Amino acid sequence: MATQEETFKKLVSHCKEYGFVFPSSEIYDGLGAVYDYGQNGVELKNNIKRYWWDSMTLLHENIVGIDAAIFMHPTVWKASGHVDAFNDPLIDNRDSKKRYRADVLIEDQLGKIEEKINKEVEKAAKRFGESFDEAMFRQTNARVLEHQAHWDALHERYSKAMNASDLAELKQIILDEEIVCPISGTRNWTDVRQFNLMFQTEMGSTADGAMKIYLRPETAQGIFVNYLNVQKTGRMKIPFGIAQIGKAFRNEIVARQFVFRMREFEQMEMQFFVKPGTEMEWFKHWKEFRLKWHKALGLGDEKYRFHDHEKLAHYANAATDIEFLMPFGFKEVEGIHSRTNFDLSQHAKYSGKKIEYFDPELNESYTPYVIETSIGVDRMFLSIMCSSYKEETLEGGETRVVLSLPPVLAPVKACVMPLVKKDGLPEKAREVMDMLKFDFKTTYDEKDSIGKRYRRQDAIGTPFCITIDHDTLNDNCVTVRYRDTMAQDRVKIEDLHAMIQKAVDMKQVLRKLV
Ligand code: GAP
């Protein structure tokens, strides 16, 4: 059995080999934590975005979309708090000249202690066999208890230091724990410093007149600064929402796990403006709706969980993450935040403009409160790929790699294949393709044996393979082979469209949400 780590490595190579994700500028050896989506990746990503966009803007008459520019006035980021507080604590090793996130070094140390505990448990489980009582062992074994006490003390000290932004204490923890640089193996550390995650550039041609601007680290601010524009021009009544999909940029120092943490990524964010005092009801509503949205794809309900934030950002009065079980553990895919009226009030303060809502029912004006749902397209993409990638051993010992993607998201819906490259079969196959291509992403393949062609489609998750053979010319029927069961059916050409439509129709998933 391959370990989760090995499977994840295979998935990363699979993504490259089958045109889902390539390292950016690969011919120049790539660029750290930046990736390009290939011909299949972009189709899958577009389908994810379509699912999200339709679930927001079609199913909710009080949610509209916008597409704000990536460049924004620099004061936006002062008002939002990103200039002063969007930081990671960094530490350098003087010998290797490598830079690390101090919090990640300490979290890795916590992970190592957990590993030690797990190893003790595994060893004991092997020794005692069937009669092993894991809970009892964890509560009584001296070595496990010692490691656990170490973990608890370190975790408490670390949380305190992070909450207080105590950089000197973070360094002291690294020294006390004798954490070494993985490259040089030494403990020759600098002090811990705060490092702002926003990318900067300059707008304007002359050095004197140029204005320092930032690449947006979240799309949300584009919504906040357009709140009045949309509310007025769309005559929106509270409660209402504004949805947006777009790129965001963060100079992540520790960029890991493939597309999970990137420097350029894409967000799908929705800010829902509500009457002050009703925000907790709406927070609950959006938590439920968003989880339903994830589960409706059928990747497995047990793979999701909420992680409520204990420590809240100064502007939030509730926050939770939707986590997905990746091969490297439960990880955040989406955040749902009750952001109070912080952002709108800050923009009112910094711009000097009145940003309020006149409530005709109350006959008074107020600054709306905001519930935000914020999901990373790339993390969603990764969660789908991780749960769909399967290596199967078939009868007879042959193996196949199959992506059991939800058909509604699959990059290619059907592949049309003439059994042989002659006797009028390619022409008939083209006819079938021409009939389907206006509604479904369809490909054509006439190379190699049918078995090889099936494998190629399995590997990119195509739900239907349609084979045209000599009988087709007489009976107008084709062989349809299904990706997941590998079963085959004889289907009339005139019924193909309806059959595919039924399986890949976005409506059937959207209907589960209302
Ligand atoms: N406006 C709120 C906001 O940006 P966040 O928790 O920082 O909140 C929201 O980000 C989502 O964006 C995350 O749940 C994650 O899916 C995605 N995300 C954040 N940083 C990312 C990165 N470096 N690479 C890929 N996705 C990222």
Side-chain angles (χ1 to χ4, degrees), residues 69-126:
I70 287 170
F71 292 150
M72 301 181 77
H73 193 285
T75 311
V76 167
W77 305 110
K78 192 76 191 146
S80 68
H82 284 83
V83 170
D84 297 319
F86 195 51
N87 299 320
D88 274 345
L90 294 189
I91 190 165
D92 292 330
N93 182 272
R94 291 196 185 91
D95 299 321
S96 66
K97 310 263 182 285
K98 288 278 172 205
R99 182 165 288 176
Y100 300 91
R101 261 174 64 179
D103 55 333
V104 171
L105 286 179
I106 300 171
E107 276 172 22
D108 284 351
Q109 178 75 353
L110 284 165
K112 280 184 192 153
I113 302 171
E114 268 171 54
E115 251 174 56
K116 282 185 192 163
I117 297 175
N118 291 339
K119 276 209 179 115
E120 292 293 342
V121 174
E122 269 171 39
K123 262 196 313 197
K126 268 195 199 141

Side-chain angles (χ1 to χ4, degrees), residues 15-223:
C15 280
K16 186 171 162 211
E17 195 180 337
Y18 286 93
F20 282 90
V21 180
F22 306 125
S24 157
S25 339
E26 197 185 3
I27 55 169
Y28 294 100
D29 297 331
L31 182 66
V34 186
Y35 290 92
D36 298 339
Y37 285 82
Q39 65 278 17
N40 290 316
V42 70
E43 295 287 347
L44 173 53
K45 206 157 98 130
N46 283 344
N47 292 339
I48 295 170
K49 290 194 267 184
R50 165 63 46 204
Y51 174 42
W52 184 87
W53 188 260
D54 287 356
S55 74
M56 288 293 175
T57 64
L58 295 188
L59 300 189
H60 299 92
E61 58 187 278
N62 57 351
I63 298 183
V64 292
I66 62 163
D67 183 15
I70 287 170
F71 292 150
M72 301 181 77
H73 193 285
T75 311
V76 167
W77 305 110
K78 192 76 191 146
S80 68
H82 284 83
V83 170
D84 297 319
F86 195 51
N87 299 320
D88 274 345
L90 294 189
I91 190 165
D92 292 330
N93 182 272
R94 291 196 185 91
D95 299 321
S96 66
K97 310 263 182 285
K98 288 278 172 205
R99 182 165 288 176
Y100 300 91
R101 261 174 64 179
D103 55 333
V104 171
L105 286 179
I106 300 171
E107 276 172 22
D108 284 351
Q109 178 75 353
L110 284 165
K112 280 184 192 153
I113 302 171
E114 268 171 54
E115 251 174 56
K116 282 185 192 163
I117 297 175
N118 291 339
K119 276 209 179 115
E120 292 293 342
V121 174
E122 269 171 39
K123 262 196 313 197
K126 268 195 199 141
R127 211 168 46 236
F128 294 110
E130 295 266 297
S131 62
F132 182 58
D133 180 344
E134 184 179 329
M136 180 62 84
F137 181 79
R138 282 180 184 271
Q139 281 165 25
T140 53
N141 179 271
R143 263 200 298 269
V144 169
L145 290 176
E146 196 184 310
H147 291 316
Q148 191 61 52
H150 181 189
W151 192 95
D152 291 342
L154 175 57
H155 186 257
E156 200 191 326
R157 197 175 162 198
Y158 162 62
S159 304
K160 241 183 178 169
M162 285 299 283
N163 288 343
S165 297
D166 187 342
L167 303 183
E169 173 67 352
L170 286 177
K171 177 173 180 185
Q172 199 53 51
I173 294 175
I174 289 171
L175 295 178
D176 292 349
E177 287 291 318
E178 302 185 346
I179 296 174
V180 296
C181 164
I183 307 287
S184 66
T186 72
R187 288 182 236 144
N188 193 3
W189 296 110
T190 62
D191 286 342
V192 178
R193 286 161 300 118
Q194 291 288 21
F195 175 84
N196 195 285
L197 294 183
M198 283 196 294
F199 285 100
Q200 293 177 19
T201 185
E202 286 184 349
M203 186 176 266
S205 53
T206 61
D208 289 346
M211 170 157 66
K212 179 160 71 168
I213 54 167
Y214 303 96
L215 296 190
R216 64 181 179 196
E218 62 170 11
T219 59
Q221 297 304 324
I223 293 179

Side-chain angles (χ1 to χ4, degrees), residues 230-468:
V230 174
Q231 194 271 320
K232 293 215 161 105
T233 58
R235 293 181 293 121
M236 308 300 289
K237 294 215 164 36
I238 275 187
F240 75 91
I242 305 178
Q244 176 168 222
I245 300 178
K247 290 273 186 159
F249 305 83
R250 295 182 190 177
N251 198 358
E252 301 280 3
I253 293 309
V254 180
R256 284 200 289 205
Q257 274 125 1
F258 194 37
V259 296
F260 184 81
R261 193 176 301 285
M262 298 198 287
R263 297 203 165 99
E264 174 179 341
F265 57 100
E266 210 165 355
Q267 289 185 315
M268 305 188 282
E269 297 201 295
M270 195 278 298
Q271 317 297 132
F272 199 70
F273 300 93
V274 303
K275 193 166 108 189
T278 63
E279 70 274 14
M280 283 307 156
E281 272 164 58
W282 284 111
F283 178 68
K284 187 166 167 279
H285 167 87
W286 282 108
K287 258 179 91 166
E288 282 164 16
F289 182 84
R290 292 304 306 145
L291 189 62
K292 221 198 268 183
W293 182 90
H294 285 274
K295 288 186 174 174
L297 287 173
L299 303 179
D301 288 4
E302 71 293 349
K303 292 190 177 135
Y304 300 92
R305 71 177 188 197
F306 283 120
H307 171 239
D308 294 331
H309 291 203
E310 284 156 34
K311 184 187 176 243
L312 295 170
H314 58 284
Y315 53 78
N317 61 6
T320 194
D321 296 333
I322 295 179
E323 295 186 336
F324 185 84
L325 184 58
M326 304 274 189
F328 41 90
F330 271 101
K331 296 286 166 198
E332 174 192 340
V333 171
E334 169 156 8
I336 300 158
H337 313 120
S338 173
R339 289 178 78 131
T340 67
N341 60 3
F342 174 80
D343 301 87
L344 290 183
S345 302
Q346 284 291 99
H347 288 306
K349 184 171 142 197
Y350 278 79
S351 67
K353 308 271 178 350
K354 195 168 152 198
I355 306 181
E356 288 185 346
Y357 175 74
F358 177 73
D359 193 324
E361 279 167 29
L362 298 178
N363 201 23
E364 66 178 47
S365 295
Y366 53 76
T367 309
Y369 271 41
V370 171
I371 306 299
E372 160 182 82
T373 73
S374 173
I375 169 169
V377 182
D378 313 274
R379 287 196 190 173
M380 187 63 201
F381 175 95
L382 187 60
S383 66
I384 292 165
M385 290 299 277
C386 287
S387 57
S388 302
Y389 178 86
K390 289 179 188 134
E391 290 173 4
E392 291 180 351
T393 306
L394 309 176
E395 274 173 40
E398 207 194 327
T399 57
R400 74 160 181 163
V401 171
V402 59
L403 280 188
S404 57
L405 296 169
V408 70
L409 299 181
V412 176
K413 307 301 187 197
C415 179
V416 184
M417 316 171 167
L419 186 62
V420 288
K421 271 192 269 185
K422 55 182 185 180
D423 305 335
L425 300 192
E427 291 75 7
K428 189 71 185 169
R430 290 280 176 203
E431 255 179 52
V432 171
M433 220 183 129
D434 286 345
M435 182 188 90
L436 299 174
K437 73 181 180 193
F438 294 95
D439 293 307
F440 314 113
K441 175 81 187 153
T442 315
T443 56
Y444 176 85
D445 191 0
E446 60 177 22
K447 197 170 176 295
D448 300 321
S449 69
I450 282 286
K452 275 197 183 156
R453 286 183 255 174
Y454 283 164
R455 291 291 171 274
R456 279 203 283 272
Q457 296 306 316
D458 288 344
I460 63 165
T462 308
F464 301 104
C465 287
I466 299 167
T467 306
I468 314 297

